[in-house]
Amino acid sequence: MARCPQILSVHLFLLRDNEIFLQLGKNTSYRDCCWSVIAGHVEAKESATNAMVREAKEEAGIIIGPKALILVHVMHRFEN
């Protein structure tokens, strides 16, 4: 059976009390004018944690250390 390459993405849920931080997509060419959590794809030879740290800085200017992140969910989607 052949290996199937996977496209991995990460999503950051920043919580405060009963609020979740959202950002409005603008000039990204992907889902502009839509609200979303900070998210992005994992690059080649990059860990999911490092990808989340990078995306937080790139998308929202947020500096977050890898030890501050907590993995809460993994989802595998399979499409025919």
Side-chain angles (χ1 to χ4, degrees):
M1 184 177 246
R3 289 187 180 184
C4 179
Q6 301 295 311
I7 298 172
L8 304 176
S9 62
V10 291
H11 295 77
L12 180 63
F13 288 78
L14 293 172
L15 308 173
R16 181 177 58 198
D17 299 324
N18 290 328
E19 298 177 326
I20 298 175
F21 176 83
L22 297 175
Q23 62 182 3
L24 183 61
K26 184 177 178 184
N27 299 324
T28 65
S29 73
Y30 177 76
R31 308 223 10 119
D32 287 341
C33 300
C34 292
W35 292 96
S36 176
V37 296
I38 297 167
H41 288 111
V42 178
E43 295 179 356
K45 298 184 180 182
E46 181 179 45
S47 70
T49 301
N50 287 341
M52 192 71 273
V53 169
R54 176 181 52 76
E55 290 290 349
K57 184 176 181 182
E58 287 178 3
E59 291 195 8
I62 296 172
I63 306 299
I64 188 166
K67 291 186 178 183
L69 298 172
I70 300 169
L71 175 66
V72 295
H73 183 70
V74 175
M75 180 175 74
H76 181 230
R77 290 191 321 192
F78 179 76
E79 297 176 10
N80 290 336

